Amino acid sequence: MRRRTVLATAILAAVATPGIARAADPGPSVTKKGTTQLDATAVFFVSYDGLVNNNSFQKNGLLTYKGYQYAAWYTSTGNAVVGRRVLGGSSWSTVTLPHVLKTSDSHNVISMGVSKVDGRLHLTMDSHSDGYFYVKSIAGLLDNPATTAWTSSVFGAVQTSLDGLALTSQFTYPQFISTPEGKLQLSYRVGISGNGRNALAEYDGSTWTALGEWSSSTGTYTSSHGSSTARNMYLHGIDYDAGGRLHSFFTWREQNAAVMCNSGGITNHDTGYVYSTDRGRTWRNDAGTVVATTGSSDTVAVTDGGLVVDSLNPDHSLMNQESQFTDSSGLPHAIISYVPGRFGQCTTNYVADRTANGRAFHLRKNSSGTWQKTEIPVALDSSQRTKLILDKYDNAYAVFPFGRIAAASKASGYTDWTLLYDGSELNAFGEVVIDELRVRADNVLSFMYQEKSSGTTPSALHVVDFALPV
């Protein structure tokens, strides 16, 4: 009798505890719900092998909040546009902002963020190692969307600072994140590729404050080929989990090509991981040791111990700024991609070699604290990035270039990766922009993609929605 009671108690505990796989949990699946068009003729040009409207490192180019979805892009004339729709709606309402894309550079993306403390939508746009442009909405816009007209009057003036806070003249890769308290943080890079530092700013509902830099560009890295004394840390993302811990995977890019076996490769090496338990004020390595204090001279450096969770030299065309997500237990997951050693130990053209032989890997920390890596058996067929999300059952989904979707179940230990959707009907150019917030809002995988084109001929920009397991 006591044995039955213990068993029943264990079953109930498993059902009640988030993140614990249960026999009844479904495996991953996607069911296409529909596609909507944002723009029939969005701006199209290829630079750095990507598009300015669909660079997957945008955080966020597409987001969901309180029953509405928001998107931002550039039109065929370069005008910055913000759109919104009721979740599941078939049409978008748009507002054209008084800003025109200044150059044909795919890094000059638009990113959006939500300050929950006052219900504002914030946008940064049009910057690659130079000045940025910033605009924010009126307070309460996102809290009361149904009763607030979607017109240009709800947005303030376009600024070249954060309400007077200048930050830096070399600004790139904006990523907005909402803190558990409802404040808004902005992650960005100061400096240039191969010689830059990551930094944070924070908005409390009335004022922006610069928290400062938290990664270092200095120190000596030595490979089997040569050494480099300057670099930058490229983030795969920066995200709070349900418990308030801030996670970030990254890779290093060295300035000196001497670290590579061939100059046609790319100097990215190693996958690192850090986290913060105090809203980004200090940073810890995987073992929990504090390795940096934001805004001080003690920042995360290539010479710090305990940072690397997957070691890889610069000879395999490891991609920067790929993807990350946290599961319901707060455990970090990432997608990384490179050319595995079975295809050779020296890439000589990172675009061609990644397209021919690149593979993506699911890297995660399990409940026992061990890092595990699984190759996803889907050829990249592209030099570009793959995005990662987890559903409410912690099944994992990798959205590959061209909108292909592969998935693996938590129950298998993420070993059963299978292609669920081949993306052929989308005619997508390459990378897609995921709505990271919608997955948790209404159990839908939603992403923005742009149709293939050539030269500078504009093409259609869409959002496609897939229902995940209920």
PDB file of all heavy atoms in Angstrom, residues 433-462:
ATOM      1  N   VAL A 433      13.783  35.544 -39.177  1.00  0.00           N
ATOM      2  CA  VAL A 433      13.730  36.251 -37.894  1.00  0.00           C
ATOM      3  C   VAL A 433      12.604  35.655 -37.069  1.00  0.00           C
ATOM      4  O   VAL A 433      11.430  35.707 -37.457  1.00  0.00           O
ATOM      5  CB  VAL A 433      13.508  37.765 -38.110  1.00  0.00           C
ATOM      6  CG1 VAL A 433      13.279  38.478 -36.781  1.00  0.00           C
ATOM      7  CG2 VAL A 433      14.701  38.371 -38.833  1.00  0.00           C
ATOM      8  N   ILE A 434      12.941  35.059 -35.937  1.00  0.00           N
ATOM      9  CA  ILE A 434      11.983  34.349 -35.089  1.00  0.00           C
ATOM     10  C   ILE A 434      11.301  35.305 -34.110  1.00  0.00           C
ATOM     11  O   ILE A 434      11.931  36.199 -33.555  1.00  0.00           O
ATOM     12  CB  ILE A 434      12.711  33.250 -34.278  1.00  0.00           C
ATOM     13  CG1 ILE A 434      13.308  32.214 -35.220  1.00  0.00           C
ATOM     14  CG2 ILE A 434      11.771  32.591 -33.277  1.00  0.00           C
ATOM     15  CD1 ILE A 434      12.351  31.237 -35.792  1.00  0.00           C
ATOM     16  N   ASP A 435      10.025  35.089 -33.869  1.00  0.00           N
ATOM     17  CA  ASP A 435       9.325  35.764 -32.776  1.00  0.00           C
ATOM     18  C   ASP A 435       9.523  34.919 -31.521  1.00  0.00           C
ATOM     19  O   ASP A 435       8.781  33.982 -31.257  1.00  0.00           O
ATOM     20  CB  ASP A 435       7.839  35.912 -33.111  1.00  0.00           C
ATOM     21  CG  ASP A 435       7.080  36.774 -32.098  1.00  0.00           C
ATOM     22  OD1 ASP A 435       7.544  36.878 -30.944  1.00  0.00           O
ATOM     23  OD2 ASP A 435       6.028  37.320 -32.457  1.00  0.00           O
ATOM     24  N   GLU A 436      10.552  35.246 -30.752  1.00  0.00           N
ATOM     25  CA  GLU A 436      10.901  34.457 -29.572  1.00  0.00           C
ATOM     26  C   GLU A 436       9.821  34.538 -28.497  1.00  0.00           C
ATOM     27  O   GLU A 436       9.622  33.593 -27.723  1.00  0.00           O
ATOM     28  CB  GLU A 436      12.239  34.932 -29.003  1.00  0.00           C
ATOM     29  CG  GLU A 436      13.406  34.767 -29.962  1.00  0.00           C
ATOM     30  CD  GLU A 436      14.696  35.365 -29.415  1.00  0.00           C
ATOM     31  OE1 GLU A 436      14.674  35.912 -28.288  1.00  0.00           O
ATOM     32  OE2 GLU A 436      15.720  35.287 -30.117  1.00  0.00           O
ATOM     33  N   LEU A 437       9.133  35.673 -28.424  1.00  0.00           N
ATOM     34  CA  LEU A 437       8.146  35.870 -27.365  1.00  0.00           C
ATOM     35  C   LEU A 437       6.825  35.173 -27.665  1.00  0.00           C
ATOM     36  O   LEU A 437       6.089  34.815 -26.741  1.00  0.00           O
ATOM     37  CB  LEU A 437       7.906  37.368 -27.152  1.00  0.00           C
ATOM     38  CG  LEU A 437       9.137  38.190 -26.773  1.00  0.00           C
ATOM     39  CD1 LEU A 437       8.763  39.662 -26.606  1.00  0.00           C
ATOM     40  CD2 LEU A 437       9.771  37.669 -25.493  1.00  0.00           C
ATOM     41  N   ARG A 438       6.523  34.960 -28.943  1.00  0.00           N
ATOM     42  CA  ARG A 438       5.222  34.376 -29.272  1.00  0.00           C
ATOM     43  C   ARG A 438       5.137  32.908 -28.882  1.00  0.00           C
ATOM     44  O   ARG A 438       4.056  32.405 -28.555  1.00  0.00           O
ATOM     45  CB  ARG A 438       4.925  34.533 -30.767  1.00  0.00           C
ATOM     46  CG  ARG A 438       3.513  34.082 -31.089  1.00  0.00           C
ATOM     47  CD  ARG A 438       3.032  34.445 -32.465  1.00  0.00           C
ATOM     48  NE  ARG A 438       1.655  33.989 -32.620  1.00  0.00           N
ATOM     49  CZ  ARG A 438       0.983  34.033 -33.756  1.00  0.00           C
ATOM     50  NH1 ARG A 438       1.555  34.512 -34.842  1.00  0.00           N
ATOM     51  NH2 ARG A 438      -0.258  33.583 -33.804  1.00  0.00           N
ATOM     52  N   VAL A 439       6.241  32.209 -28.925  1.00  0.00           N
ATOM     53  CA  VAL A 439       6.230  30.787 -28.571  1.00  0.00           C
ATOM     54  C   VAL A 439       5.613  30.586 -27.197  1.00  0.00           C
ATOM     55  O   VAL A 439       4.797  29.680 -26.982  1.00  0.00           O
ATOM     56  CB  VAL A 439       7.664  30.216 -28.601  1.00  0.00           C
ATOM     57  CG1 VAL A 439       7.673  28.766 -28.167  1.00  0.00           C
ATOM     58  CG2 VAL A 439       8.261  30.365 -29.993  1.00  0.00           C
ATOM     59  N   ARG A 440       5.974  31.461 -26.273  1.00  0.00           N
ATOM     60  CA  ARG A 440       5.464  31.328 -24.910  1.00  0.00           C
ATOM     61  C   ARG A 440       4.117  32.015 -24.733  1.00  0.00           C
ATOM     62  O   ARG A 440       3.393  31.726 -23.786  1.00  0.00           O
ATOM     63  CB  ARG A 440       6.492  31.899 -23.930  1.00  0.00           C
ATOM     64  CG  ARG A 440       7.707  30.974 -23.811  1.00  0.00           C
ATOM     65  CD  ARG A 440       8.882  31.596 -23.099  1.00  0.00           C
ATOM     66  NE  ARG A 440       9.952  30.615 -22.916  1.00  0.00           N
ATOM     67  CZ  ARG A 440      11.231  30.910 -22.851  1.00  0.00           C
ATOM     68  NH1 ARG A 440      11.614  32.170 -22.963  1.00  0.00           N
ATOM     69  NH2 ARG A 440      12.140  29.964 -22.684  1.00  0.00           N
ATOM     70  N   ALA A 441       3.756  32.909 -25.659  1.00  0.00           N
ATOM     71  CA  ALA A 441       2.495  33.638 -25.531  1.00  0.00           C
ATOM     72  C   ALA A 441       1.303  32.796 -25.970  1.00  0.00           C
ATOM     73  O   ALA A 441       0.265  32.778 -25.299  1.00  0.00           O
ATOM     74  CB  ALA A 441       2.550  34.928 -26.346  1.00  0.00           C
ATOM     75  N   ASP A 442       1.434  32.108 -27.109  1.00  0.00           N
ATOM     76  CA  ASP A 442       0.278  31.330 -27.587  1.00  0.00           C
ATOM     77  C   ASP A 442       0.669  30.052 -28.303  1.00  0.00           C
ATOM     78  O   ASP A 442      -0.093  29.514 -29.100  1.00  0.00           O
ATOM     79  CB  ASP A 442      -0.630  32.190 -28.471  1.00  0.00           C
ATOM     80  CG  ASP A 442      -0.018  32.501 -29.836  1.00  0.00           C
ATOM     81  OD1 ASP A 442       1.204  32.289 -30.007  1.00  0.00           O
ATOM     82  OD2 ASP A 442      -0.756  32.950 -30.730  1.00  0.00           O
ATOM     83  N   ASN A 443       1.901  29.552 -28.001  1.00  0.00           N
ATOM     84  CA  ASN A 443       2.289  28.234 -28.495  1.00  0.00           C
ATOM     85  C   ASN A 443       2.367  28.171 -30.015  1.00  0.00           C
ATOM     86  O   ASN A 443       2.007  27.166 -30.637  1.00  0.00           O
ATOM     87  CB  ASN A 443       1.316  27.169 -27.976  1.00  0.00           C
ATOM     88  CG  ASN A 443       1.967  25.809 -27.827  1.00  0.00           C
ATOM     89  OD1 ASN A 443       3.106  25.714 -27.385  1.00  0.00           O
ATOM     90  ND2 ASN A 443       1.247  24.766 -28.187  1.00  0.00           N
ATOM     91  N   VAL A 444       2.832  29.253 -30.627  1.00  0.00           N
ATOM     92  CA  VAL A 444       2.973  29.311 -32.079  1.00  0.00           C
ATOM     93  C   VAL A 444       4.410  29.676 -32.429  1.00  0.00           C
ATOM     94  O   VAL A 444       4.988  30.588 -31.835  1.00  0.00           O
ATOM     95  CB  VAL A 444       1.996  30.344 -32.691  1.00  0.00           C
ATOM     96  CG1 VAL A 444       2.311  30.597 -34.164  1.00  0.00           C
ATOM     97  CG2 VAL A 444       0.555  29.872 -32.538  1.00  0.00           C
ATOM     98  N   LEU A 445       4.977  28.947 -33.381  1.00  0.00           N
ATOM     99  CA  LEU A 445       6.273  29.291 -33.958  1.00  0.00           C
ATOM    100  C   LEU A 445       5.998  30.222 -35.130  1.00  0.00           C
ATOM    101  O   LEU A 445       5.354  29.846 -36.114  1.00  0.00           O
ATOM    102  CB  LEU A 445       6.994  28.030 -34.432  1.00  0.00           C
ATOM    103  CG  LEU A 445       8.227  28.219 -35.331  1.00  0.00           C
ATOM    104  CD1 LEU A 445       9.279  29.081 -34.662  1.00  0.00           C
ATOM    105  CD2 LEU A 445       8.800  26.872 -35.736  1.00  0.00           C
ATOM    106  N   SER A 446       6.458  31.459 -35.014  1.00  0.00           N
ATOM    107  CA  SER A 446       6.187  32.489 -36.018  1.00  0.00           C
ATOM    108  C   SER A 446       7.511  33.094 -36.456  1.00  0.00           C
ATOM    109  O   SER A 446       8.336  33.446 -35.612  1.00  0.00           O
ATOM    110  CB  SER A 446       5.274  33.564 -35.392  1.00  0.00           C
ATOM    111  OG  SER A 446       4.841  34.516 -36.330  1.00  0.00           O
ATOM    112  N   PHE A 447       7.726  33.185 -37.765  1.00  0.00           N
ATOM    113  CA  PHE A 447       8.961  33.821 -38.208  1.00  0.00           C
ATOM    114  C   PHE A 447       8.748  34.650 -39.467  1.00  0.00           C
ATOM    115  O   PHE A 447       7.833  34.414 -40.260  1.00  0.00           O
ATOM    116  CB  PHE A 447      10.113  32.826 -38.380  1.00  0.00           C
ATOM    117  CG  PHE A 447       9.937  31.733 -39.406  1.00  0.00           C
ATOM    118  CD1 PHE A 447      10.156  31.967 -40.761  1.00  0.00           C
ATOM    119  CD2 PHE A 447       9.603  30.439 -39.008  1.00  0.00           C
ATOM    120  CE1 PHE A 447      10.036  30.956 -41.698  1.00  0.00           C
ATOM    121  CE2 PHE A 447       9.471  29.413 -39.938  1.00  0.00           C
ATOM    122  CZ  PHE A 447       9.693  29.665 -41.288  1.00  0.00           C
ATOM    123  N   MET A 448       9.606  35.648 -39.617  1.00  0.00           N
ATOM    124  CA  MET A 448       9.582  36.560 -40.755  1.00  0.00           C
ATOM    125  C   MET A 448      10.640  36.110 -41.756  1.00  0.00           C
ATOM    126  O   MET A 448      11.761  35.787 -41.388  1.00  0.00           O
ATOM    127  CB  MET A 448       9.859  37.988 -40.262  1.00  0.00           C
ATOM    128  CG  MET A 448       9.830  39.054 -41.335  1.00  0.00           C
ATOM    129  SD  MET A 448       9.754  40.737 -40.617  1.00  0.00           S
ATOM    130  CE  MET A 448      11.352  40.858 -39.809  1.00  0.00           C
ATOM    131  N   TYR A 449      10.243  36.104 -43.036  1.00  0.00           N
ATOM    132  CA  TYR A 449      11.199  35.730 -44.075  1.00  0.00           C
ATOM    133  C   TYR A 449      10.946  36.585 -45.312  1.00  0.00           C
ATOM    134  O   TYR A 449       9.854  37.148 -45.497  1.00  0.00           O
ATOM    135  CB  TYR A 449      11.078  34.242 -44.425  1.00  0.00           C
ATOM    136  CG  TYR A 449       9.794  33.877 -45.142  1.00  0.00           C
ATOM    137  CD1 TYR A 449       9.732  33.833 -46.539  1.00  0.00           C
ATOM    138  CD2 TYR A 449       8.637  33.567 -44.441  1.00  0.00           C
ATOM    139  CE1 TYR A 449       8.563  33.502 -47.208  1.00  0.00           C
ATOM    140  CE2 TYR A 449       7.462  33.236 -45.092  1.00  0.00           C
ATOM    141  CZ  TYR A 449       7.425  33.198 -46.476  1.00  0.00           C
ATOM    142  OH  TYR A 449       6.258  32.874 -47.133  1.00  0.00           O
ATOM    143  N   GLN A 450      11.967  36.698 -46.154  1.00  0.00           N
ATOM    144  CA  GLN A 450      11.847  37.460 -47.388  1.00  0.00           C
ATOM    145  C   GLN A 450      12.092  36.540 -48.572  1.00  0.00           C
ATOM    146  O   GLN A 450      12.960  35.666 -48.541  1.00  0.00           O
ATOM    147  CB  GLN A 450      12.839  38.633 -47.406  1.00  0.00           C
ATOM    148  CG  GLN A 450      12.607  39.608 -48.544  1.00  0.00           C
ATOM    149  CD  GLN A 450      13.225  40.970 -48.299  1.00  0.00           C
ATOM    150  OE1 GLN A 450      13.690  41.267 -47.197  1.00  0.00           O
ATOM    151  NE2 GLN A 450      13.224  41.826 -49.309  1.00  0.00           N
ATOM    152  N   GLU A 451      11.313  36.738 -49.620  1.00  0.00           N
ATOM    153  CA  GLU A 451      11.449  35.893 -50.798  1.00  0.00           C
ATOM    154  C   GLU A 451      12.747  36.192 -51.544  1.00  0.00           C
ATOM    155  O   GLU A 451      13.276  37.304 -51.502  1.00  0.00           O
ATOM    156  CB  GLU A 451      10.256  36.087 -51.731  1.00  0.00           C
ATOM    157  CG  GLU A 451       8.954  35.543 -51.170  1.00  0.00           C
ATOM    158  CD  GLU A 451       7.827  35.587 -52.193  1.00  0.00           C
ATOM    159  OE1 GLU A 451       8.123  35.637 -53.410  1.00  0.00           O
ATOM    160  OE2 GLU A 451       6.652  35.568 -51.773  1.00  0.00           O
ATOM    161  N   LYS A 452      13.242  35.177 -52.233  1.00  0.00           N
ATOM    162  CA  LYS A 452      14.456  35.317 -53.022  1.00  0.00           C
ATOM    163  C   LYS A 452      14.247  36.347 -54.129  1.00  0.00           C
ATOM    164  O   LYS A 452      13.158  36.494 -54.669  1.00  0.00           O
ATOM    165  CB  LYS A 452      14.828  33.974 -53.656  1.00  0.00           C
ATOM    166  CG  LYS A 452      15.205  32.899 -52.660  1.00  0.00           C
ATOM    167  CD  LYS A 452      15.435  31.567 -53.363  1.00  0.00           C
ATOM    168  CE  LYS A 452      15.746  30.463 -52.364  1.00  0.00           C
ATOM    169  NZ  LYS A 452      15.869  29.141 -53.018  1.00  0.00           N
ATOM    170  N   SER A 453      15.323  37.068 -54.436  1.00  0.00           N
ATOM    171  CA  SER A 453      15.319  38.014 -55.537  1.00  0.00           C
ATOM    172  C   SER A 453      16.740  38.071 -56.075  1.00  0.00           C
ATOM    173  O   SER A 453      17.578  37.231 -55.730  1.00  0.00           O
ATOM    174  CB  SER A 453      14.831  39.394 -55.069  1.00  0.00           C
ATOM    175  OG  SER A 453      14.673  40.271 -56.168  1.00  0.00           O
ATOM    176  N   SER A 454      17.011  39.049 -56.913  1.00  0.00           N
ATOM    177  CA  SER A 454      18.363  39.202 -57.439  1.00  0.00           C
ATOM    178  C   SER A 454      18.701  40.672 -57.550  1.00  0.00           C
ATOM    179  O   SER A 454      17.803  41.527 -57.665  1.00  0.00           O
ATOM    180  CB  SER A 454      18.486  38.537 -58.818  1.00  0.00           C
ATOM    181  OG  SER A 454      17.572  39.123 -59.733  1.00  0.00           O
ATOM    182  N   GLY A 455      19.976  40.957 -57.477  1.00  0.00           N
ATOM    183  CA  GLY A 455      20.416  42.345 -57.554  1.00  0.00           C
ATOM    184  C   GLY A 455      19.791  43.180 -56.451  1.00  0.00           C
ATOM    185  O   GLY A 455      19.921  42.866 -55.273  1.00  0.00           O
ATOM    186  N   THR A 456      19.121  44.250 -56.857  1.00  0.00           N
ATOM    187  CA  THR A 456      18.430  45.109 -55.888  1.00  0.00           C
ATOM    188  C   THR A 456      16.934  45.174 -56.188  1.00  0.00           C
ATOM    189  O   THR A 456      16.263  46.153 -55.861  1.00  0.00           O
ATOM    190  CB  THR A 456      19.021  46.529 -55.911  1.00  0.00           C
ATOM    191  OG1 THR A 456      18.931  47.068 -57.240  1.00  0.00           O
ATOM    192  CG2 THR A 456      20.475  46.528 -55.459  1.00  0.00           C
ATOM    193  N   THR A 457      16.404  44.133 -56.801  1.00  0.00           N
ATOM    194  CA  THR A 457      14.969  44.073 -57.088  1.00  0.00           C
ATOM    195  C   THR A 457      14.203  43.749 -55.810  1.00  0.00           C
ATOM    196  O   THR A 457      14.437  42.699 -55.202  1.00  0.00           O
ATOM    197  CB  THR A 457      14.666  43.001 -58.146  1.00  0.00           C
ATOM    198  OG1 THR A 457      15.411  43.287 -59.325  1.00  0.00           O
ATOM    199  CG2 THR A 457      13.177  42.974 -58.472  1.00  0.00           C
ATOM    200  N   PRO A 458      13.306  44.626 -55.363  1.00  0.00           N
ATOM    201  CA  PRO A 458      12.561  44.365 -54.119  1.00  0.00           C
ATOM    202  C   PRO A 458      11.780  43.059 -54.185  1.00  0.00           C
ATOM    203  O   PRO A 458      11.430  42.568 -55.273  1.00  0.00           O
ATOM    204  CB  PRO A 458      11.612  45.570 -54.023  1.00  0.00           C
ATOM    205  CG  PRO A 458      12.275  46.642 -54.825  1.00  0.00           C
ATOM    206  CD  PRO A 458      12.948  45.931 -55.959  1.00  0.00           C
ATOM    207  N   SER A 459      11.508  42.477 -53.014  1.00  0.00           N
ATOM    208  CA  SER A 459      10.745  41.234 -52.968  1.00  0.00           C
ATOM    209  C   SER A 459       9.807  41.238 -51.771  1.00  0.00           C
ATOM    210  O   SER A 459       9.910  42.079 -50.872  1.00  0.00           O
ATOM    211  CB  SER A 459      11.683  40.025 -52.910  1.00  0.00           C
ATOM    212  OG  SER A 459      12.408  39.999 -51.694  1.00  0.00           O
ATOM    213  N   ALA A 460       8.906  40.279 -51.764  1.00  0.00           N
ATOM    214  CA  ALA A 460       7.876  40.218 -50.730  1.00  0.00           C
ATOM    215  C   ALA A 460       8.443  39.753 -49.391  1.00  0.00           C
ATOM    216  O   ALA A 460       9.306  38.871 -49.328  1.00  0.00           O
ATOM    217  CB  ALA A 460       6.754  39.290 -51.169  1.00  0.00           C
ATOM    218  N   LEU A 461       7.923  40.361 -48.335  1.00  0.00           N
ATOM    219  CA  LEU A 461       8.301  40.044 -46.965  1.00  0.00           C
ATOM    220  C   LEU A 461       7.080  39.471 -46.257  1.00  0.00           C
ATOM    221  O   LEU A 461       5.989  40.050 -46.332  1.00  0.00           O
ATOM    222  CB  LEU A 461       8.780  41.312 -46.263  1.00  0.00           C
ATOM    223  CG  LEU A 461       9.339  41.203 -44.849  1.00  0.00           C
ATOM    224  CD1 LEU A 461      10.663  40.440 -44.849  1.00  0.00           C
ATOM    225  CD2 LEU A 461       9.542  42.601 -44.263  1.00  0.00           C
ATOM    226  N   HIS A 462       7.245  38.333 -45.597  1.00  0.00           N
ATOM    227  CA  HIS A 462       6.111  37.623 -45.017  1.00  0.00           C
ATOM    228  C   HIS A 462       6.365  37.232 -43.563  1.00  0.00           C
ATOM    229  O   HIS A 462       7.509  37.176 -43.106  1.00  0.00           O
ATOM    230  CB  HIS A 462       5.833  36.320 -45.787  1.00  0.00           C
ATOM    231  CG  HIS A 462       5.611  36.476 -47.244  1.00  0.00           C
ATOM    232  ND1 HIS A 462       4.405  36.837 -47.787  1.00  0.00           N
ATOM    233  CD2 HIS A 462       6.456  36.293 -48.302  1.00  0.00           C
ATOM    234  CE1 HIS A 462       4.497  36.874 -49.104  1.00  0.00           C
ATOM    235  NE2 HIS A 462       5.741  36.556 -49.442  1.00  0.00           N
TER     236      HIS A 462
END
